[in-house]
Amino acid sequence: MMMWILLGIIVVAALWVISSYNNLISLKNQTLMGGKQIDVQLKRRHDLIPNLIETVKGVMKFEQSTFTQVIEARNKAISAQGAGVAEQAVHENALSGSLRQMFALFEITRILSQTRT
């Protein structure tokens, strides 16, 4: 009788270990997939910036330095994709700042052109 109880405890412990291991692997895979999804979104963002610049260029021919900043920030962000997360975050923040500046200039230009007409 004692042997069956001991065997039952061992089986329950083994099932718990297997279940815990499977849960840990599942969490690890979710973490990796989250990182991959972020990489995909950043790549899409980088790929859309040239289209955005071409669209805005026609309206804002006088702001060449802003375009240059955005293009340089994009290139740095793309080159930092293989680097660590901290370096990639720095370059992504610089890209966001450049895009914010370009959007602000575009909005000001749009408002000024509306008030002239």
Side-chain angles (χ1 to χ4, degrees), residues 12-113:
V12 169
L15 290 174
W16 179 80
V17 167
I18 291 170
S19 175
S20 296
Y21 178 76
N22 285 339
N23 285 337
L24 288 174
I25 294 299
S26 174
L27 290 173
K28 175 185 161 191
N29 289 338
Q30 287 177 358
T31 303
L32 292 174
M33 287 302 292
K36 300 276 185 204
Q37 289 176 352
I38 290 171
D39 289 341
V40 167
Q41 292 298 323
L42 290 176
K43 179 159 179 26
R44 286 183 62 209
R45 178 183 179 192
H46 298 154
D47 292 342
L48 290 174
I49 289 174
N51 296 339
L52 176 67
I53 289 176
E54 287 300 319
T55 303
V56 176
K57 259 186 188 177
V59 178
M60 296 177 44
K61 294 182 181 181
F62 62 91
E63 254 328 303
Q64 189 63 33
S65 64
T66 303
F67 294 133
T68 306
Q69 281 180 337
V70 171
I71 291 170
E72 287 174 0
R74 174 188 177 263
N75 291 338
K76 286 179 183 177
I78 289 173
S79 67
Q81 281 184 339
V85 174
E87 184 179 345
Q88 190 173 0
V90 168
H91 291 297
E92 287 298 328
N93 288 336
L95 177 59
S96 294
S98 297
L99 286 172
R100 207 172 302 122
Q101 181 181 4
M102 186 177 75
F103 289 143
L105 287 171
F106 178 71
E107 189 66 24
I108 289 170
T109 304
R110 188 179 62 81
I111 291 170
L112 288 176
S113 67

